[in-house]
Amino acid sequence: MKILVTGGAGFIGSNFVHYLIDNTDHTVTVLDKLTYAGNRASLDGLPADRFAFVQGDIADAPLVDRLFADHDAVVHYAAESHNDNSLDDPAPFVQTNLVGTFTLLEAAREHGTRFHHISTDEVYGDLELDDPARFTDSTPYNPSSPYSSTKAGSDLLVRAWVRSFGVQATISNCSNNYGPYQHVEKFIPRQITNVLRGERPKLYGTGENVRDWIHADDHSSAVLSILQEGRIGETYLIGADGEKNNKQVVELILTELGQPADAYDLVTDRPGHDLRYAIDSSKLRSELGWTPRYADFTSGLAATIRWYRDHEDWWGPQKQATEDRYKAQGQ
Ligand SMILES: NC(=O)c1ccc[n+]([C@@H]2O[C@H](COP(=O)([O-])OP(=O)(O)OC[C@H]3O[C@@H](n4cnc5c(N)ncnc54)[C@H](O)[C@@H]3O)[C@@H](O)[C@H]2O)c1
C-alpha cells in the first residue's frame, strides 16, 4: 500500500512512520505543516525509495485532494495537541483539529480512500481517582479543554462521514503515549530533560493525577492492526494497562537517573486538569488479537530515558524556548 501519514513529523506520527518502514513493505508519504511541534529531523535516515515528505497544511484542500488521489490509505495524526497551549489560544486547535479533519474527510469521500483517524482518551473527560471504571467505546463524550473538545468534534465528524457518506473510516482513542521523539513541552520528556540538565522536575499540583501510559511503538502496532483488520465505522480504544500517577512517574525518572526520588518542585496546577484517565482496550485485544510489547511501564520508561540521554542534539534546540514559555505561564 501507499500510505499517507498526516502529522508524521510529530511525536506519535514519526514513531508510526518508523514502525511502518521497519515492519512492513508499505511506502509512506508524510504530510506535515511543521508547526513548532513538527521536527523534520525525526524522519532523518528513512529510505528514499519508500519514504517522501510533503510540507503542507491538512486544511489546504487542493493539496490534500492531489495527495489522496495518489494514496491507498490515510492515517491522520496531524493535530494541535498540547492542552496548555489550547488554554492560551484555542484558535489553531479549532482550525487544525476541526477544519483540517473536515478537509481530509471530504477528500476521503471524493476518492473512496481508506481513512484511519487518530484520537485521544481525553474526549471522555476524566474519572475520579477512586473510581474503578475505565473508558470504553460506549463511554459518553465529556471533554474538558479546547484540545480535547476539538478532538471530540473531529471524532464526531468522522462518524458522521462514515454514516452519511459511506467513508471507509475507523477511529482509535489512545491513552497517553511516551517514547522517543516527543516534544520536551510534554510531561515525561520535560521531566527527563530537566534532570539531564541538572534542573529539578516540575510537578503540577500534588502529582496525584493518573495517566494510563503506553509506549508509542505499542500505539503504532495497534493502529496498523486496525488499519489492516479493523471493522469500518468502528472505534477502538488503545491502552496498555499502564496507570501511574504523575508523582510516581517523576520518582521513577529521578531514581533511574540516580537522583533522590523526592528531588522535584511542585508548581501551580493547570485549570481544569483532568484527574484520571484509564482505558479498557479489551475490544481491540479480543477482536484483533493485539497485545502491547511494553507491558511493563518501567522498562519502557528506562528505554525512553536512554533515548533522551543519547539524543540531546534532537531535543536541545527546543528546550530553552519551551522552558521560557512555561515560565511566562508561571509554571
Ligand atoms: N501524545 C499523546 O499522548 C496522544 C495520545 C492519544 C492520541 N494522540 C493524538 O495523536 C496525534 C498526534 O499527537 P502527537 O502527540 O504526536 O502530537 P504532536 O504535536 O507531537 O504532532 C502533531 C504534528 O502535526 C503537525 N501539524 C499540526 N497542524 C498541522 C496542520 N494544520 N497540517 C499539517 N500538519 C500539522 C505538526 O507539525 C506536528 O508534526 C494527535 O491527533 C493527538 O490528538 C496523542
Side-chain angles (χ1 to χ4, degrees), residues 42-320:
S42 303
L43 300 166
D44 280 352
L46 293 169
D49 58 335
R50 288 183 57 207
F51 171 73
F53 182 81
V54 176
Q55 182 170 1
D57 192 326
I58 57 166
D60 177 346
L63 171 64
V64 163
D65 186 70
R66 280 200 304 281
L67 288 169
F68 272 59
D70 193 34
H71 289 82
D72 306 303
V74 176
V75 184
H76 172 34
Y77 288 89
E80 286 292 338
S81 72
H82 192 39
N83 264 311
D84 289 340
N85 293 347
S86 81
L87 299 169
D88 217 29
D89 179 12
F93 289 75
V94 172
Q95 174 61 25
T96 288
N97 301 357
L98 290 170
V99 178
T101 301
F102 158 73
T103 308
L104 298 175
L105 285 168
E106 284 291 85
R109 175 184 173 193
E110 171 71 23
H111 294 280
T113 313
R114 173 77 174 89
F115 187 79
H116 181 69
H117 176 65
I118 301 292
S119 192
T120 162
D121 61 354
E122 298 190 30
V123 298
Y124 300 115
D126 61 349
L127 299 161
E128 292 299 325
L129 292 176
D130 57 359
D131 185 343
R134 300 197 291 172
F135 301 133
T136 71
D137 64 347
S138 55
T139 304
Y141 275 30
N142 187 24
S144 311
S145 71
Y147 164 61
S148 51
S149 62
T150 53
K151 289 300 293 187
S154 68
D155 295 6
L156 298 182
L157 291 178
V158 177
R159 289 187 185 180
W161 262 242
V162 171
R163 179 147 175 191
S164 305
F165 305 121
V167 166
Q168 299 289 295
T170 41
I171 299 174
S172 55
N173 297 82
C174 188
S175 60
N176 282 63
N177 285 223
Y178 67 95
Y181 302 116
Q182 186 170 27
H183 196 285
V184 292
E185 71 183 358
K186 298 284 168 45
F187 179 63
I188 286 183
R190 187 178 184 210
Q191 313 307 345
I192 295 173
T193 53
N194 277 352
V195 181
L196 288 172
R197 295 207 329 178
E199 287 156 25
R200 289 164 69 89
K202 309 266 185 289
L203 197 55
Y204 282 122
T206 57
E208 282 180 342
N209 307 58
V210 172
R211 300 293 176 261
D212 190 353
W213 293 102
I214 181 171
H215 193 281
D217 273 354
D218 286 329
H219 189 178
S220 294
S221 67
V223 168
L224 187 60
S225 303
I226 298 166
L227 187 65
Q228 288 168 339
E229 297 164 63
R231 284 182 294 136
I232 297 304
E234 288 295 316
T235 293
Y236 294 90
L237 270 64
I238 306 174
D241 299 332
E243 279 188 66
K244 288 267 176 292
N245 73 33
N246 290 348
K247 187 164 165 284
Q248 290 170 312
V249 174
V250 165
E251 287 171 353
L252 280 168
I253 291 170
L254 283 161
T255 308
E256 186 68 29
L257 285 167
Q259 302 294 316
D262 61 353
Y264 55 82
D265 294 327
L266 298 175
V267 296
T268 315
D269 209 354
R270 157 206 290 167
H273 199 177
D274 284 344
L275 286 177
R276 172 172 165 258
Y277 308 133
I279 285 270
D280 176 350
S281 59
S282 50
K283 174 174 166 181
L284 174 69
R285 292 172 193 246
S286 62
E287 231 182 69
L288 305 184
W290 173 83
T291 49
R293 190 179 127 217
Y294 289 98
D296 170 13
F297 174 74
T298 313
S299 68
L301 182 66
T304 304
I305 290 172
R306 283 196 296 280
W307 189 87
Y308 279 91
R309 202 186 49 212
D310 296 344
H311 291 84
E312 185 160 357
D313 55 328
W314 183 88
W315 59 263
Q318 314 162 345
K319 182 68 183 170
Q320 198 53 50

Side-chain angles (χ1 to χ4, degrees), residues 318-329:
Q318 314 162 345
K319 182 68 183 170
Q320 198 53 50
T322 302
E323 288 305 319
D324 290 348
R325 206 170 60 235
Y326 273 118
K327 206 167 171 191
Q329 294 167 356

